[in-house]
Amino acid sequence: GHRNLPETFFYILRDMTNSAVDYIDFVNVFPDDNIEKIKNLIEKKIKKLNQGKGVLILTDMFGGTPSNL
């Protein structure tokens, strides 16, 4: 998602549920970020989180840079 929005949602979810969020991660995307580095980071996080049933990816704006990555 754009800027710190994903990180903010992550911490709100953690605080509201009082539970471990080991199976959830986020990627903040800023305007000056290197696109290839962000793509690689997303791939690494998907591999880490996938436990054989796939990974659900949420994005803040369909068609925006984070969604397109």
Side-chain angles (χ1 to χ4, degrees), residues 23-39:
Y23 53 90
I24 299 174
D25 210 336
F26 60 88
V27 176
N28 295 324
V29 179
F30 292 90
D32 295 334
D33 282 346
N34 179 298
I35 298 299
E36 289 306 313
K37 285 184 180 180
I38 296 296
K39 284 183 181 180

Side-chain angles (χ1 to χ4, degrees), residues 41-57:
L41 177 61
I42 292 169
E43 287 178 20
K44 287 179 186 176
K45 290 186 179 217
I46 289 171
K47 287 178 184 176
K48 180 185 96 174
L49 293 171
N50 190 354
Q51 297 180 358
K53 295 184 179 182
V55 175
L56 175 64
I57 299 174

